Amino acid sequence: MAEAYLKHLLGKQLYVDSVGLKPSELDGFAVAVMDELGFDLKNHKPKTFDQLEDTSFDLIITLSPEAHHKALELTRTMAADVEYWPTPDPTAIEGTREQRMDAYREVRDQLMRRIKARFQPQQSGNE
């Protein structure tokens, strides 16, 4: 979700990539809540740290303690900053479909607010 939104805002100005800790399938709830805002994630291919083609990043933003630890290990010999944005894991929420969708919406909206605040994108009028 964060990758799609940041690419939407600043994709032509910087390189953005996203990885997880474990191999996984595309998350249907993430696809659905992003689709609500006009973002099509259906062709996104989740990948892991081990599948990164390039590791020359200036900034790595992590969303979980485990990912933060992995990013710090990865950057020991790199000149990259690592920021930790504590983010609830919406996959841990159980309940009705709507309750689960609400958890994903909350994470989506939190990430969008953090991205806007951190990267201060220029307002283009089409957001």
Side-chain angles (χ1 to χ4, degrees), residues 18-39:
S18 175
V19 300
L21 291 170
K22 302 176 273 193
S24 65
E25 298 296 317
L26 187 58
D27 186 320
F29 286 104
V31 171
V33 299
M34 291 302 284
D35 188 58
E36 292 175 344
L37 300 181
F39 293 89

Side-chain angles (χ1 to χ4, degrees), residues 13-111:
Q13 298 171 9
L14 53 105
Y15 175 72
V16 179
D17 205 355
S18 175
V19 300
L21 291 170
K22 302 176 273 193
S24 65
E25 298 296 317
L26 187 58
D27 186 320
F29 286 104
V31 171
V33 299
M34 291 302 284
D35 188 58
E36 292 175 344
L37 300 181
F39 293 89
D40 183 0
L41 299 185
K42 291 179 193 102
N43 294 320
H44 177 74
K45 303 281 189 253
K47 58 185 169 287
T48 65
F49 277 93
D50 295 334
Q51 294 170 309
L52 283 172
E53 293 178 15
D54 186 356
T55 57
S56 54
F57 294 99
D58 296 317
L59 174 65
I60 297 172
I61 297 172
T62 62
L63 306 180
S64 72
E66 298 84 4
H68 191 69
H69 178 73
K70 179 75 173 179
L72 290 174
E73 284 180 18
L74 179 72
T75 59
R76 275 191 196 155
T77 60
M78 296 169 48
D81 293 327
V82 179
E83 292 182 13
Y84 175 47
W85 294 0
T87 305
D89 179 2
T91 66
I93 299 300
E94 295 182 12
T96 66
R97 182 180 195 287
E98 195 57 31
Q99 289 169 322
R100 295 178 73 193
M101 289 287 288
D102 284 344
Y104 277 79
R105 288 180 187 114
E106 186 177 319
V107 169
R108 174 199 67 197
D109 296 346
Q110 175 186 341
L111 288 171

